[in-house]
Amino acid sequence: MTNNILIGMAAISAIWLVRNLWVILLGLPDEAAQGAIYRIIFFHVPSWFTCFTLFLVSGVTSAYAIAKRNYKGDSLAVAATEVGLVFTTIGLVTGMIWARIIWGIWWTWDARLTWAFITFLIYAGYLLMRRMIEEPSERLRVTGVLSVFAFASVVITYKAIDWWRTQHPGPVLSIRTGGGNMDPAMERMLYVNFIPLLMLAAVLVVIRFRQEERQREVDGLRRIAYTH
Amino acid sequence: MLRQAWAVFQKDIRMEFRGKEALNAAVAFALVVLILFSFAIDPTSEELREMSGGLLWILFAFSGVLLLNRSFSREQANDTLDVLMSLRVRPSALLLGKAWANLIFILLVEAICLPVFGVLYNIDITGQPGWLLLTLLLATWAIAVVGTVFAAMTVNLRLRELMLPVIVYPMIIPALAGAIRLTNLALTGAPPAGDDWIWVRLLIGFDIIFTALALGLIDFILVD
């Protein structure tokens, strides 16, 4: 049952993404100032939205896990963080490709880029920590707290373009500026691409979550076997 | 709770000043790195003044982690952390006391390194003493409080000396960035103006948010 739902969601998001690609590449005109390369925004921004959503899920489930000693929450947190890290990488790489074309450089140390990179490092550290702690209940507590801490850097990354004058473009979406900075058709496309990406992420998180749960079960059985 | 924290603080200070192991190591390390800087950059150049904040805070962060690593591992030799927990010392009091002690230790290292840095690299450190002191206090507290929580988290790891810096440095970058900017300003003798105020606000905000987070979450890390 759940399997069918997962396969269905994956299929829908795949078809939807292909359809979006067609609209992005052929349906929408080139942007006036940037030309064709602006299209990367339809993957860049939704990837970051997906990544922020996943890290939010990770933070909330971690907080729940440490408060209630709930191992399911812990598994969900690590699943969300792993998939979130993939989307962080996509966001960083798409941003770098765009920067190479528009700015002529791959990277610059402005506040937005720096904090995006810091976020990446912190969550990578989170996954590193998990591998080092053998004892499940200690792992839940320690990495759970780390995940809640780590979310601060996500907030800073999100707000960096408001707080500092960055080389990274400032807010353009109407949810942040009240509108008028981006063509409505283009902005709509951005959200339309966000939904299938989020669906894809959800599918991956659920698959990873199940793996993690099974892993925990196997570890538990192994411990019982050793004690006998 | 404050009374318990004060007791833990006194205990840590007394323990460290009897042996001075970590302090001596941290100061020696900091001085070696200070000498290394002279090879990395031209020690007579004028630009040195503008980048001295960065050099200093890298130095403080590095030697700070040496001290932070000792903060909880000090308790391991005789399993005294378990004793403290079974004495019903509240985890938040324990954290606060240890963070105060670490604040004092790192400030001591800074108090030794700053004049030495000023003399060796011919930089006047008294241009803006008030701002410099404020920056030192705010940023060192940031390192101390975040570092102490993470030291509690990593104390049982096999690779804790390695893992602590890996997770602490990214987390304290906001505070370090602000401290570097403000220290540069203070050493060039200018008070913060215009855009620089964001860094003062950032430091204060960082301290408040992370102290609250640390005190709230430590209960989940230190359990008996």
Side-chain angles (χ1 to χ4, degrees):
Chain A
M1 173 60 191
T2 341
N3 271 331
N4 288 338
I5 295 176
L6 281 183
I7 294 169
M9 272 174 77
I12 292 171
S13 77
I15 296 166
W16 202 343
L17 281 170
V18 171
R19 178 258 170 197
N20 283 350
L21 208 56
W22 186 75
V23 176
I24 289 165
L25 291 176
L26 301 171
L28 288 167
D30 282 359
E31 208 254 354
Q34 300 181 9
I37 188 66
Y38 91 96
R39 288 187 172 87
I40 213 163
I41 198 179
F42 297 124
F43 288 93
H44 179 70
V45 177
S47 297
W48 281 110
F49 279 177
T50 314
C51 146
F52 288 167
T53 313
L54 289 169
F55 287 155
L56 179 66
V57 170
S58 165
V60 171
T61 50
S62 290
Y64 179 75
I66 51 176
K68 303 272 178 201
R69 295 286 151 82
N70 184 305
Y71 286 97
K72 278 214 165 66
D74 184 55
S75 302
L76 193 54
V78 67
T81 308
E82 272 185 19
V83 179
L85 209 56
V86 173
F87 280 92
T88 316
T89 315
I90 296 174
L92 283 172
V93 170
T94 50
M96 282 165 84
I97 295 169
W98 181 85
R100 177 68 188 155
I101 305 284
I102 298 293
W103 299 339
I105 43 172
W106 293 105
W107 187 264
T108 179
W109 291 103
D110 84 348
R112 191 58 173 299
L113 276 69
T114 310
W115 255 287
F117 191 42
I118 294 169
T119 307
F120 176 82
L121 285 179
I122 292 177
Y123 281 98
Y126 167 92
L127 293 179
L128 217 61
M129 278 281 272
R130 281 193 76 85
R131 306 190 67 120
M132 293 206 176
I133 309 175
E134 303 280 328
E135 218 265 304
S137 78
E138 191 187 350
R139 188 168 57 204
L140 178 147
R141 285 184 284 115
V142 168
T143 58
V145 170
L146 184 58
S147 177
V148 175
F149 263 100
F151 192 70
S153 107
V154 174
V155 177
I156 299 178
T157 311
Y158 180 70
K159 294 296 283 178
I161 47 175
D162 295 324
W163 291 343
W164 287 277
R165 261 178 307 208
T166 53
Q167 189 171 345
H168 184 283
V172 291
L173 301 181
S174 49
I175 46 163
R176 291 178 78 161
T177 58
N181 284 316
M182 198 178 178
D183 186 87
M186 292 178 177
E187 190 170 341
R188 192 173 338 110
M189 190 63 227
L190 221 138
Y191 299 121
V192 169
N193 216 27
F194 171 48
I195 302 166
L197 278 180
L198 196 62
M199 274 169 67
L200 183 66
V203 171
L204 292 173
V205 168
V206 173
I207 293 174
R208 192 62 195 78
F209 168 73
R210 284 190 187 167
Q211 270 181 355
E212 197 65 25
E213 284 286 283
R214 264 170 219 162
Q215 178 71 48
R216 197 158 50 77
E217 208 172 320
V218 169
D219 286 346
L221 289 173
R222 193 171 284 148
R223 259 195 307 279
I224 294 170
Y226 273 131
T227 51
H228 281 295
Chain B
M1 179 185 134
L2 283 178
R3 233 186 54 236
Q4 287 183 348
W6 181 247
V8 173
F9 167 73
Q10 281 182 316
K11 172 196 79 72
D12 264 31
I13 292 276
R14 202 174 300 140
M15 267 175 100
E16 185 54 42
F17 279 105
R18 286 210 180 125
K20 297 195 194 66
E21 286 169 17
L23 262 180
N24 283 341
V27 170
F29 172 78
L31 292 178
V32 171
V33 177
L34 264 184
I35 295 164
L36 282 180
F37 283 157
S38 72
F39 298 101
I41 44 160
D42 178 11
T44 51
S45 74
E46 261 306 301
E47 295 111 65
L48 181 67
R49 188 178 293 273
E50 272 130 52
M51 58 190 290
S52 48
L55 295 178
L56 281 171
W57 280 102
I58 289 174
L59 180 69
F60 297 157
F62 275 40
S63 48
V65 164
L66 284 182
L67 292 160
L68 292 166
N69 253 323
R70 290 283 303 152
S71 183
F72 278 88
S73 60
R74 186 181 292 133
E75 313 282 356
Q76 272 194 324
N78 295 320
D79 284 328
T80 39
L81 195 58
D82 294 339
V83 178
L84 282 170
M85 297 311 295
S86 52
L87 280 172
R88 322 270 357 128
V89 177
R90 286 174 59 180
S92 44
L94 191 62
L95 173 86
L96 208 57
K98 283 195 173 290
W100 286 340
N102 287 329
L103 174 77
I104 298 294
F105 297 150
I106 303 174
L107 279 176
L108 264 176
V109 174
E110 290 169 358
I112 296 169
C113 287
L114 257 178
V116 175
F117 180 79
V119 171
L120 288 182
Y121 293 91
N122 194 25
I123 283 170
D124 179 20
I125 57 167
T126 54
Q128 287 283 341
W131 280 109
L132 189 61
L133 194 67
L134 184 74
T135 310
L136 285 176
L137 277 175
L138 287 175
T140 311
W141 176 249
I143 298 178
V145 74
V146 175
T148 312
V149 183
F150 286 174
M153 285 162 63
T154 53
V155 67
N156 289 326
L157 301 187
R158 269 170 294 123
L159 292 172
R160 67 155 180 275
E161 276 89 359
L162 211 65
M163 270 323 280
L164 183 62
V166 168
I167 55 171
V168 165
Y169 290 142
M171 211 59 108
I172 58 172
I173 285 175
L176 284 184
I180 288 170
R181 185 88 189 93
L182 293 173
T183 310
N184 279 341
L185 275 177
L187 292 182
T188 47
D195 264 8
D196 303 323
W197 278 101
I198 175 120
W199 296 108
V200 182
R201 284 207 301 273
L202 178 95
L203 267 182
I204 296 172
F206 185 95
D207 281 352
I208 295 172
I209 291 171
F210 278 87
T211 309
L213 265 179
L215 290 177
L217 291 173
I218 193 73
D219 288 339
F220 300 110
I221 300 172
L222 298 174
V223 286
D224 41 1

